Amino acid sequence: MKPRSTLFDEAFLRRLEHLDLVTRRPVAGHLRGSHRSRRTGTGMVFADYRPYSEGDDTRNLDWGIYLRLDRLILRLFEEEADLPVYLLLDTSASMGHGEPGKFDFARQIVAALGYLALRNYDRVSAIAWADGVASELSGRRGRTQVWPLFRFLEGLTPSAGTDLNAALRGTFGATRTRGLVILVSDFLDAAAFAESARWLRQFRHEVVAFHVMAPDELEPDLPDQVELQDAETGQALVLESTSQLLEAYREEMARHCKDIENACRREGWSYLLAKTDAPFEDLMLMALRRAGVLR
Amino acid sequence: MNVGVALGFLALVAAAVVGLYLLRPPPQRVRVGSTLIWQRVLAAQRGLSQRWRWWLSLLLALVIALALALAVTRPRSGEPVRDPKDIILVVDAGPTMNAMRSDGRTRFEHARDWAIDEIRRNGAGARFFVTDTMRTVSTGTFVDAERAQAVLKGLAPAQGGAPRFPDLVLLPKSAAGREVVFVTDGVSALEGPTGTRMHSVFEVASNVGITAFSVRARATDPTRFEGFVELGNAASQPAKVTVKIAGAGRDPLTRIATVGPRGFGSVTFPVEGFTGGALQASLEAPGDVLGIDDGAFAFLPFNRVLQVALVTAGNRDLERALRLDPRLKLSVLTPAQYAAKAGFDAYVFDRFVPAQPPLAPSLVFQPAAISWLTQAASLGAAPQVTNWLGNHPVLENVSLADVQIEKAAAFREMPGALSVLATESGGKALIVARDKAPRVVAVGFASTASNFASQASFPVFLANAMQWLTAEVPPQSAAVGAVRVPFENAKVEAVKAGKIATRAVPGGTLFTLPASDFATVEAEGVRMRVAVNTTDPAITDINASALPPDTVSVPTSAGATAVAAAQWWPALLILAGVLMLVEWLTYHRRVTI
């Protein structure tokens, strides 16, 4: 009997089953999977030619070239490999706010993508981070690992501040195989996102950034005189919410989102602004498809 | 409001505004995920501009509040502090000063309060002479401020009568200089002596009043009456008025009339259903500010059967003729029965005269001698009536040309007491009448000694005589205030005021009714009705003022009433409104204080 989860209902899981993850570049992997690998081998997809050397599999010789050029040329095929998927979920205190809640929305994104990856026999790692790495579910593969993933996500609570740079440095290093990084956060980090992106670029991961925002963060509705209290730092900010100030806020928030999107585009990553009041199914089935994450 | 009080009020308002700014409730606390974006926004916007913004908002709020306060208090800064001197304060206490102003207080209350303030403004060194236009109060001479204020507080506006500016020539001369101040609504159009400073308490208002109320016989049927009510409208808009007439004998009658702007209208009522006596008319109109002209009284004559006694030894023609009159209930008495019977409305003495005058009016035929009326002397045979007063009510429609008389007695005329209605060819009186209670008509010949009883005009003569003898003294109309009636030692009782104190004056009695009422005057067996009303178009037209509202005139050598105080309070209100709009638009806040 499968353990019950509150993150998804059965109908939603069934609708995701026919989707698959796809990457647009070959990735390195140790295990066979349905994803293209940079290794040439016994796959079906042609990769290149090279001169035949002793010991090569004669089944891959191109006999047409030999008849024309009188040279033994070997056809190389890409070997299909499994895809390491890194699910990085922001669990900072700021994720615990917003209406509808950002944290639940983000956990649903992570859970859905993890589910799809596990169904596709990919190796999935889930990393909860805030001002550093908070907790990690190490690489799992196979659909039986779906429920441990869900339980891991359900056990998380938002707390502490946000330091994406520290979290990435704590997560990635030489031991991490290149793969697909799903980064889910509100990116309310004092440090510039571009700096973190530059650091992550060296590992040549495929990155999809989900920018989770609540409607009241994009269009705040505040009383005239208000004291804003920061959930992460506890800092209080007294202001008079005039229409001019609200307009300036909206412009600054749009600029903030645009900066993150531009940084992603520069690195060749995918960026998705995920509003928590948008239907989750639409986001998963349409937005990911449009971004090239789903096929 | 004077400058000192106004400044105090303004300071209070300013302090309240600043206090409210400083004591604003703490801002509402809102917990957000991160203030990162807000900090970036405020870093660009805060600083000097935010502080300026707070101070500018406070300044705007102060200007708005002070403009409103100034518009309300309207201090008059142009009034200098005056040197001690003698001030003659004349307060208009005319009926129109009862008109209510928009703040719920009457013009008179405004005038009295302003006068009291004027006394206070002039300080303790000044002397005051206080009087009014209705001659109801006066300090008599110049008094100190305290006494003057006490007199003013005892002053009340009249409900009727014509105001008149008091004569000031008899006042003692003043070495310190004299100033005359007249507080009025300007409707009475009175002017003081040259140099009078006038203060207006006038304010345009709506008023509908009864300007006339009478009961009159119908032109087509003199025995039937109708009530006539004239209405006046002082407003510049048409007024819809509900008029009601109440009296004894039936439910009140109600009519709805529309009176044109600054015009008059009228309503008539059939009043036969009422039994007679006092009728009261009243009106109701929306927005009416003057109540003293909303009611009036009139008298409806009683229409009752007269109890008449014919005292005769036997006269069938006379008896038959009297019985023809349906208004009479006739009782026939012999001279012997006369003393034992009483309670009749009138007597007809046929060749008989009692020794003492009857209490009721009487018609006497061929008296032997009437010691209590006049002397009679026998005439020769067959005197001829040659002259008679056809316009006297007793002889109206009566012809004596064909009357033939066998014998008659001539009356000696008593000037001042008797009127001669008919004379014979020698000029001696044949028919006389006394127009003094109880009335008497004396005929020098008997119906049996002439052919008068067989004449067609005889029943008319009897009917006229009975009507004249028993008619009440015609009702009198008077204005509110002192009323004089031509009866000595009269007793007066009014419907609303009850028994009225009277004062004997030569040839009559004087009494005072301070408001509309209906009085019954009784004296010497005579009863007279007096309807005392405030039915005066000049009172109802409360907007007929030449003075602008709430102004003080500057005394000039010509006595003109130029307006000194600028009417800047509407501009202040507009300024406050514009600033509030600016504040709202620039700060996007609905509450500024």
Side-chain angles (χ1 to χ4, degrees):
Chain A
M1 185 176 175
K2 290 181 180 179
R4 294 182 62 81
S5 172
T6 57
L7 289 175
F8 299 98
D9 56 17
E10 291 290 331
F12 182 71
L13 294 176
R14 276 196 298 273
R15 289 169 62 184
L16 294 180
E17 279 181 351
H18 72 281
L19 300 174
D20 200 356
L21 285 172
V22 61
T23 58
R24 283 166 289 172
R25 284 187 292 182
V27 294
H30 295 292
L31 302 176
R32 293 172 69 89
S34 58
H35 298 275
R36 289 175 294 163
S37 167
R38 292 203 126 199
R39 290 183 178 181
T40 55
T42 58
M44 298 295 292
V45 180
F46 172 77
D48 205 349
Y49 292 100
R50 72 171 171 82
Y52 174 78
S53 60
E54 196 175 53
D56 287 337
D57 191 346
T58 56
R59 289 177 296 180
N60 292 337
L61 284 171
D62 190 333
W63 297 107
I65 291 176
Y66 175 75
L67 290 175
R68 288 197 305 273
L69 303 178
D70 195 22
R71 289 178 61 189
L72 288 173
I73 298 298
L74 195 67
R75 286 184 295 186
L76 298 178
F77 295 91
E78 287 183 327
E79 185 180 50
E80 293 196 342
D82 64 327
L83 176 68
V85 177
Y86 303 101
L87 302 171
L88 272 73
L89 173 62
D90 183 357
T91 61
S92 65
S94 65
M95 291 291 285
H97 286 77
E99 186 61 38
K102 290 189 294 185
F103 191 62
D104 285 347
F105 195 77
R107 284 196 296 179
Q108 286 180 331
I109 293 173
V110 170
L113 294 174
Y115 172 82
L116 292 174
L118 292 170
R119 283 276 296 141
N120 210 33
Y121 213 67
D122 292 320
R123 191 168 49 186
V124 172
S125 298
I127 298 103
W129 62 276
D131 52 358
V133 175
S135 58
E136 178 175 353
L137 182 70
S138 58
R140 305 292 177 96
R141 197 173 58 162
R143 60 166 44 187
T144 57
Q145 298 302 312
V146 165
W147 303 110
L149 171 64
F150 284 5
R151 279 195 295 275
F152 171 76
L153 293 174
E154 285 177 337
L156 299 175
T157 53
S159 64
T162 305
D163 190 344
L164 177 62
N165 209 10
L168 292 178
R169 287 175 190 274
T171 302
F172 296 104
T175 58
R176 295 282 186 185
T177 307
R178 185 154 41 92
L180 176 63
V181 176
I182 306 292
L183 183 55
V184 183
S185 173
D186 55 11
F187 296 115
L188 293 173
D189 188 357
F193 176 77
E195 185 184 347
S196 303
R198 277 196 299 274
W199 187 85
L200 186 60
R201 178 176 55 187
Q202 63 181 313
F203 300 107
R204 305 180 66 187
H205 290 293
E206 176 101 2
V207 177
V208 178
F210 284 86
H211 193 174
V212 182
M213 295 299 291
D216 56 354
E217 288 177 319
L218 295 170
E219 292 286 342
D221 182 20
L222 298 174
D224 290 347
Q225 291 280 343
V226 64
E227 180 186 295
L228 300 177
Q229 194 167 33
D230 194 311
E232 295 185 356
T233 64
Q235 183 182 2
L237 197 64
V238 178
L239 53 90
E240 201 167 344
S241 66
T242 62
S243 59
Q244 186 184 2
L245 194 67
L246 291 173
E247 183 60 30
Y249 172 86
R250 282 190 284 269
E251 290 176 0
E252 184 61 34
M253 177 58 84
R255 191 179 302 120
H256 173 70
C257 295
K258 197 68 184 174
D259 288 346
I260 295 171
E261 181 179 5
N262 289 339
C264 290
R265 299 282 180 242
R266 275 197 301 272
E267 306 300 337
W269 300 345
S270 298
Y271 171 85
L272 278 172
L273 179 61
K275 297 180 183 177
T276 59
D277 61 340
F280 182 76
E281 290 82 354
D282 290 350
L283 175 69
M284 297 304 295
L285 299 178
M286 296 176 67
L288 287 182
R289 191 190 298 276
R290 197 180 311 126
V293 178
L294 296 178
R295 69 170 175 240
Chain B
M1 190 177 286
N2 62 38
V3 175
V5 177
L7 283 177
F9 183 69
L10 294 179
L12 203 63
V13 169
V17 171
V18 174
L20 285 171
Y21 257 75
L22 296 175
L23 297 174
R24 270 185 175 172
Q28 189 175 341
R29 182 172 294 178
V30 176
R31 192 172 169 83
V32 296
S34 172
T35 57
L36 177 66
I37 305 299
W38 284 111
Q39 285 173 350
R40 290 179 187 171
V41 170
L42 294 178
Q45 293 210 340
R46 246 184 181 168
L48 194 61
S49 64
Q50 192 68 12
R51 286 194 295 276
W52 270 107
R53 190 178 177 284
W54 190 90
W55 281 107
L56 187 59
S57 175
L58 175 60
L59 183 65
L60 277 175
L62 275 174
V63 173
I64 290 168
L66 293 178
L68 289 173
L70 280 170
V72 171
T73 56
R74 303 178 198 174
R76 293 181 176 85
S77 57
E79 294 179 11
V81 177
R82 303 180 188 95
D83 296 331
K85 57 184 173 184
D86 291 342
I87 294 176
I88 301 168
L89 265 173
V90 181
V91 178
D92 190 350
T96 59
M97 296 291 281
N98 289 285
M100 202 75 73
R101 292 180 34 149
S102 54
D103 60 356
R105 298 168 67 229
T106 63
R107 292 176 180 178
F108 177 80
E109 289 170 333
H110 278 271
R112 185 182 56 195
D113 293 350
W114 187 89
I116 291 173
D117 283 344
E118 179 72 7
I119 292 172
R120 289 176 183 150
R121 276 193 294 270
N122 281 277
R127 297 188 308 162
F128 303 91
F129 177 82
V130 176
T131 185
D132 70 293
T133 58
M134 299 304 291
R135 302 164 295 279
T136 52
V137 299
S138 172
T139 53
T141 184
F142 288 101
V143 297
D144 60 13
E146 188 177 351
R147 170 72 184 137
Q149 290 181 44
V151 170
L152 274 175
K153 287 173 183 172
L155 182 59
Q159 299 202 13
R164 184 171 63 86
F165 199 88
D167 195 354
L168 306 175
V169 294
L170 297 179
L171 283 174
K173 298 293 182 188
S174 173
R178 175 185 294 183
E179 183 183 23
V180 181
V181 181
F182 183 29
V183 194
T184 177
D185 62 357
V187 178
S188 58
L190 300 177
E191 285 188 3
T194 301
T196 298
R197 184 161 55 97
M198 297 183 76
H199 174 77
S200 169
V201 292
F202 171 68
E203 183 183 84
V204 176
S206 299
N207 181 49
V208 180
I210 298 175
T211 52
F213 178 37
S214 64
V215 173
R216 59 192 182 188
R218 291 174 185 264
T220 54
D221 185 357
T223 64
R224 299 177 65 193
F225 293 88
E226 66 180 4
F228 172 81
V229 180
E230 183 189 66
L231 307 168
N233 179 16
S236 55
Q237 292 86 30
K240 192 173 185 180
V241 187
T242 303
V243 186
K244 186 171 75 173
I245 284 191
R250 62 155 297 160
D251 292 334
L253 299 172
T254 302
R255 295 280 187 279
I256 295 176
T258 300
V259 187
R262 298 198 61 78
F264 293 90
S266 63
V267 184
T268 56
F269 292 83
V271 295
E272 291 88 6
F274 296 105
T275 55
L279 293 184
Q280 183 176 14
S282 59
L283 69 79
E284 289 181 2
D288 192 281
V289 300
L290 185 63
I292 61 173
D293 60 351
D294 291 345
F297 289 91
F299 178 68
L300 174 65
F302 290 97
N303 190 17
R304 61 187 177 89
V305 175
L306 297 172
Q307 300 283 343
V308 177
L310 171 60
V311 184
T312 180
N315 190 337
R316 304 185 94 181
D317 294 336
L318 179 59
E319 181 182 345
R320 191 182 305 114
L322 287 169
R323 289 191 189 281
L324 288 175
D325 192 336
R327 297 174 303 159
L328 308 182
K329 185 176 182 182
L330 189 67
S331 300
V332 182
L333 307 174
T334 62
Q337 294 172 319
Y338 164 73
K341 298 288 184 181
F344 292 98
D345 295 317
Y347 292 93
V348 179
F349 297 111
D350 180 34
R351 292 163 291 171
F352 165 75
V353 177
Q356 297 297 323
L359 294 177
S362 54
L363 170 63
V364 184
F365 284 97
Q366 197 183 4
I370 312 175
S371 58
W372 42 269
L373 179 65
T374 182
Q375 297 297 317
S378 297
L379 282 175
Q384 185 74 31
V385 181
T386 55
N387 295 304
W388 66 91
L389 296 178
N391 58 352
H392 192 276
V394 175
L395 296 179
E396 191 175 5
N397 300 320
V398 174
S399 173
L400 301 176
D402 298 327
V403 175
Q404 295 179 358
I405 306 168
E406 290 181 4
K407 64 174 183 178
F411 300 108
R412 280 187 202 162
E413 185 180 351
M414 297 179 68
L418 289 179
S419 301
V420 177
L421 304 187
T423 56
E424 49 87 46
S425 55
K428 294 181 177 176
L430 280 179
I431 302 176
V432 295
R434 186 179 73 170
D435 191 7
K436 184 180 178 185
R439 285 178 168 178
V440 177
V441 175
V443 181
F445 51 92
S447 61
T448 54
S450 69
N451 66 346
F452 191 26
S454 60
Q455 297 284 315
S457 59
F458 186 62
V460 178
F461 168 76
L462 291 179
N464 285 349
M466 287 296 110
Q467 174 68 32
W468 185 77
L469 287 172
T470 58
E472 288 196 10
V473 177
Q476 184 176 341
S477 294
V480 168
V483 181
R484 182 185 184 280
V485 290
F487 305 112
E488 293 179 348
N489 303 318
K491 294 180 179 175
V492 183
E493 187 165 356
V495 172
K496 291 196 289 190
K499 289 188 176 178
I500 306 295
T502 60
R503 188 156 57 92
V505 294
T509 302
L510 196 67
F511 62 94
T512 301
L513 279 173
S516 293
D517 211 332
F518 186 84
T520 301
V521 180
E522 291 187 344
E524 304 168 1
V526 178
R527 177 178 294 171
M528 187 174 75
R529 324 284 180 164
V530 182
V532 179
N533 292 319
T534 313
T535 50
D536 186 349
I539 294 175
T540 297
D541 192 4
I542 60 171
N543 293 329
S545 173
L547 297 179
D550 272 343
T551 54
V552 180
S553 70
V554 176
T556 62
S557 57
T561 57
V563 177
Q567 299 300 303
W568 37 261
W569 63 269
L572 287 173
L573 283 181
I574 294 171
L575 174 66
V578 169
L579 289 177
M580 277 193 277
L581 185 65
V582 168
E583 205 275 352
W584 189 85
L585 287 176
T586 53
Y587 291 85
H588 196 199
R589 294 168 47 218
R590 289 169 179 77
V591 180
T592 59
I593 298 174

